[in-house]
Amino acid sequence: MPRRREIPKRDILADPLYQSPLVSKFINCVMHDGKRSTAERILYESFDIIKEKTGDDPVKTFKKAIDNVKPSLEVKSRSNYQVPVEVNPNRRLSLSIRWLVGYARARGDGKTMQEKLANEFMDAANLRGGAVKKREDTHRMAEANKAFAHYRW
């Protein structure tokens, strides 16, 4: 948190194939060691798998999955208490993307990352999967600690 001035947010350019800044942001989170073309290939091929399996628009499934994973509450530590707080919209998006990528990498059902990512997107769009469970656990933790909400500052 800077003391002198507010740091401006950088604009993320839309990706070339779907013209969506959300897809571009997701590619940035999938990317390892600066290999953007590999990350793009992984995401676009997972979109092809989704289109093949569902016959629906893959970007629509992708956006629905991200919306289903976004947490609205989380807990923060304040002097030995877990205090429930509302989540900033930018943090909501980054948490949902991080959880989707992390749980897709941890999946054991697909052989390739493309299959794992496609399966995680479809599960999240249908309110199943590891990322949705993580969001529910976060909300449950915030509900359980609602008594400490007055420690918020």
Side-chain angles (χ1 to χ4, degrees):
M1 194 166 126
R3 291 175 186 266
R4 289 181 185 261
R5 59 178 165 55
E6 196 66 31
I7 297 175
K9 289 293 254 183
R10 283 191 224 134
D11 289 335
I12 293 186
L13 300 174
D15 76 303
L17 205 59
Y18 294 99
Q19 276 71 45
S20 169
L22 185 61
V23 172
S24 186
K25 197 175 279 199
F26 199 88
I27 287 170
N28 290 344
C29 286
V30 171
M31 185 167 48
H32 263 304
D33 296 329
K35 298 188 175 187
R36 185 179 192 80
S37 59
T38 305
E40 285 176 346
R41 184 175 46 80
I42 288 170
L43 187 66
Y44 293 153
E45 286 179 16
S46 69
F47 280 177
D48 292 341
I49 292 169
I50 291 171
K51 189 176 179 90
E52 183 182 302
K53 285 187 178 178
T54 63
D56 200 15
D57 182 26
V59 178
K60 196 169 87 174
T61 305
F62 169 70
K63 286 182 180 175
K64 188 173 181 191
I66 285 192
D67 287 339
N68 287 345
V69 174
K70 282 182 183 176
S72 58
L73 290 172
E74 68 178 345
V75 290
K76 289 198 171 182
S77 281
R78 296 270 191 258
S79 67
N80 295 341
Y81 296 111
Q82 294 286 329
V83 180
V85 292
E86 285 188 32
V87 185
N88 183 337
N90 288 333
R91 182 163 167 76
R92 289 180 72 188
L93 180 63
S94 65
L95 280 174
S96 65
I97 290 173
R98 196 179 317 150
W99 290 345
L100 280 167
V101 171
Y103 282 101
R105 284 194 179 122
R107 283 178 87 101
D109 60 352
K111 291 194 184 340
T112 64
M113 183 61 187
Q114 292 90 330
E115 294 171 9
K116 291 178 181 183
L117 204 54
N119 290 337
E120 189 65 35
F121 286 153
M122 289 187 288
D123 281 352
N126 295 323
L127 294 173
R128 295 190 309 259
V132 174
K133 186 177 184 316
K134 175 73 171 174
R135 187 211 55 196
E136 289 170 357
D137 290 345
T138 304
H139 283 186
R140 201 173 300 118
M141 181 83 98
E143 282 292 317
N145 291 308
K146 199 189 290 187
F148 303 120
H150 63 283
Y151 285 111
R152 192 174 17 198
W153 64 72

